[in-house]
Amino acid sequence: MEQKGMKGIKTIFQFSLKQTIKAKGFLASTVGIAVLLLVGIMAAYGLIAHFSSKDEPSPVKHIYIINESDLTEFSPEYYHMQASEEFAGVEVSMVTKDKKTYFEEVMEKPEEYTEDIILLLAQEEEEYKFTAITMEDTTLSDSEVLDAVEPLEQSVFMGKLTHSGITQEQLMVLSTPINYETKDAGEESKSFGIILMSLFLPMIFSLVVYMMVLLYGQSITKSVIAEKNSKIIETLLTSAEPYAIISGKVLAQVVAAVAQILIWVSSIVLGVCFGHYLALFLNPEFKDGLLAVIDQLKEQNLASAFSPAAVAIALIYAIVGFVFYCAIASLVGANVSKSEDLGSAMSVFQVPVMVGFFVSYFIPLSGANETLLQIIRYVPVTSAFMTPVDILLGNMSLLEGSLSLVIILVVTVVFLVLAGRCYKNKIFYTGKPFFFLKSK
């Protein structure tokens, strides 16, 4: 049995939901975007796997080095330390014979050197210069020769350091690579992958919520205003209460939007899953960076990150946050009497939406202190855009996320009640638009 004041909500909900689903472009956009997400993500995985696959072995078989410089410490041993795996089969050796004698030997059997490179290391004033020589009928292209010789530049650099008197131990220290990471005082280190996810996931989520709120909010406002100016309202009031009309419309829009987003999210998940296996098929040694970042989040004292509980609370929060802005849209629409005022009404509605979006996105990027971040995580206008992602990433504990959820839920219910009262007063009390007017 329906509660007093909610008579007919089921009928309004079903009718509004059917109208929304049958609207021009709803099914086309839902299915079209879902297919694009699925195919696009799979294609991205395929391209990443293709370009991250091991390069074909270099066609160069041997590099013969003739050292005519003063770098007696120059050693080809550094070649394979600097070269990638495609050059693992390339042999590098120093020519100990006289250059003229060596070239005479080579020219006697040039067919044996078609896949080899003769490299001259000469000194010109204070510079060192490489000259790559290949046979006239060589099978190597210019790019293949340059790629094979390039790692030797580091060998020259190492030879110069050794020539200056640096010991082997010091040389190893100098050649040790440097890795970067960020770390705030009192916090665990964050890898580059985690930083990227922390940057882009909130941005994507905020943009999606922003677009959906504007789209469906305008639909709710327009529908509420249109019905008040037509004879449909007389028919509706015979079978439903004003509170039920507002609530039914909002819930119908929310269900349609949530269904649409769930379909898109499912496409993303399927795209990631299928893309992962496609990448493994194309490149058996493919490593999924997304899964690696999620594992890192779980390892860095963020036990709640992407946990089932965090996913559930974040999903519920996202839905409630959407309902919150739909309630604001219904409240704005309930206060407008004429369809001509739709533009002004939407301007009023867009103010909290834009404030919530820009504050929730730019304040965290600006490096604001933790106190300010905590505040905007609990204020409904901004929390609808950022708190679900913070819960998902483990930036908020499950308890903090639940508390923020309760706050936005209570405020949403209050706005729905106010919208219903305003809607009723505008119908029965012409000329009194204020939602706080008491109805009799």
Side-chain angles (χ1 to χ4, degrees):
M1 184 176 179
E2 295 175 336
Q3 295 181 354
K4 183 179 179 181
M6 288 297 174
K7 175 187 174 183
I9 186 174
K10 181 178 179 181
T11 303
I12 298 297
F13 170 77
Q14 293 175 341
F15 174 77
S16 300
L17 184 60
K18 288 181 181 178
Q19 290 297 108
T20 302
I21 294 176
K22 291 180 181 179
K24 183 179 179 180
F26 180 84
L27 290 177
S29 62
T30 302
V31 176
I33 293 177
V35 172
L36 286 176
L37 287 171
L38 177 63
V39 175
I41 293 175
M42 290 182 62
Y45 265 91
L47 290 173
I48 293 173
H50 173 72
F51 287 107
S52 63
S53 59
K54 287 186 176 180
D55 297 324
E56 293 293 327
S58 173
V60 178
K61 286 188 175 181
H62 207 131
I63 299 177
Y64 298 95
I65 302 175
I66 300 176
N67 186 5
E68 295 184 316
S69 70
D70 61 351
L71 290 180
T72 55
E73 297 84 358
F74 174 76
S75 173
E77 294 178 359
Y78 294 112
Y79 181 83
H80 291 106
M81 293 174 59
Q82 302 297 327
S84 58
E85 294 184 8
E86 64 176 306
F87 302 107
V90 178
E91 294 185 38
V92 183
S93 59
M94 302 293 294
V95 176
T96 57
K97 297 180 180 180
D98 176 69
K99 182 174 69 172
K100 182 179 180 181
T101 304
Y102 177 73
F103 273 115
E104 290 176 350
E105 293 180 357
V106 170
M107 297 309 297
E108 290 178 359
K109 298 180 180 179
E111 68 278 359
E112 296 183 1
Y113 296 87
T114 56
E115 296 178 333
D116 300 336
I117 301 173
I118 300 174
L119 198 62
L120 295 178
L121 174 58
Q123 184 176 0
E124 296 182 357
E125 295 181 355
E126 296 182 358
E127 295 182 350
Y128 294 91
K129 181 180 178 180
F130 273 131
T131 302
I133 301 173
T134 55
M135 298 298 103
E136 185 175 357
D137 56 347
T138 182
T139 58
L140 305 175
S141 65
D142 291 343
S143 61
E144 290 171 342
V145 172
L146 291 175
D147 290 341
V149 171
E150 185 178 3
L152 283 170
E153 294 180 8
Q154 187 67 18
S155 298
V156 173
F157 175 72
M158 293 295 184
K160 290 167 65 177
L161 291 177
T162 305
H163 185 70
S164 65
I166 295 178
T167 64
Q168 287 293 329
E169 291 76 11
Q170 294 172 327
L171 191 60
M172 294 303 296
V173 173
L174 289 174
S175 61
T176 303
I178 301 174
N179 296 320
Y180 295 91
E181 64 181 10
T182 62
K183 183 177 182 180
D184 296 330
E187 294 184 354
E188 293 292 330
S189 302
K190 295 180 180 179
S191 69
F192 184 65
I194 293 179
I195 295 173
L196 286 180
M197 177 170 282
S198 300
L199 176 65
F200 286 105
L201 190 58
M203 179 183 68
I204 295 172
F205 178 79
S206 298
L207 286 174
V208 171
V209 172
Y210 179 74
M211 295 172 61
M212 298 296 288
V213 163
L214 288 181
L215 177 64
Y216 284 93
Q218 181 176 359
S219 177
I220 291 174
T221 304
K222 185 177 180 180
S223 176
V224 171
I225 295 175
E227 288 176 357
K228 286 193 298 182
N229 289 274
S230 66
K231 293 184 179 180
I232 297 178
I233 189 62
E234 299 176 1
T235 305
L236 290 175
L237 289 173
T238 60
S239 58
E241 294 287 337
Y243 292 104
I245 295 174
I246 289 292
S247 300
K249 285 184 173 296
V250 171
L251 290 177
Q253 295 289 340
V254 170
V255 169
V258 170
Q260 196 174 51
I261 293 175
L262 287 178
I263 291 174
W264 294 342
V265 170
S266 299
S267 297
I268 293 174
V269 173
L270 289 175
V272 171
C273 293
F274 293 153
H276 177 78
Y277 289 108
L278 174 63
L280 288 177
F281 175 77
L282 297 175
N283 179 12
E285 297 184 3
F286 172 77
K287 296 186 182 299
D288 197 326
L290 179 61
L291 297 180
V293 170
I294 293 176
D295 290 337
Q296 289 175 1
L297 283 170
K298 293 180 178 180
E299 292 173 359
Q300 296 192 353
N301 294 329
L302 299 176
S304 63
F306 288 92
S307 66
V311 172
I313 295 177
L315 181 60
I316 295 173
Y317 204 115
I319 295 173
V320 174
F322 181 75
V323 177
F324 167 75
Y325 275 104
C326 287
I328 295 179
S330 66
L331 179 59
V332 173
N335 275 281
V336 179
S337 301
K338 301 178 182 179
S339 300
E340 293 81 5
D341 297 330
L342 177 61
S344 300
M346 286 309 301
S347 298
V348 174
F349 171 65
Q350 289 174 2
V351 170
V353 177
M354 294 181 68
V355 169
F357 170 72
F358 285 110
V359 171
S360 62
Y361 180 70
F362 288 106
I363 290 297
L365 291 180
S366 65
N369 59 61
E370 187 63 26
T371 301
L372 181 58
L373 288 177
Q374 287 294 342
I375 292 175
I376 62 178
R377 284 170 179 164
Y378 289 95
V379 177
V381 173
T382 53
S383 65
F385 288 98
M386 66 177 297
T387 302
V389 177
D390 282 339
I391 296 172
L392 197 62
L393 293 176
N395 295 332
M396 294 180 69
S397 67
L398 298 181
L399 180 60
E400 292 173 334
S402 300
L403 178 59
S404 182
L405 175 61
V406 171
I407 293 174
I408 193 173
L409 182 61
V410 171
V411 176
T412 300
V413 172
V414 171
F415 277 157
L416 284 174
V417 172
L418 293 177
R421 172 166 293 191
C422 179
Y423 188 74
K424 181 177 181 179
N425 289 333
K426 288 290 289 184
I427 294 172
F428 293 109
Y429 300 92
T430 305
K432 297 186 180 295
F434 301 106
F435 60 79
F436 52 80
L437 177 66
K438 294 183 179 180
S439 57
K440 299 179 181 180

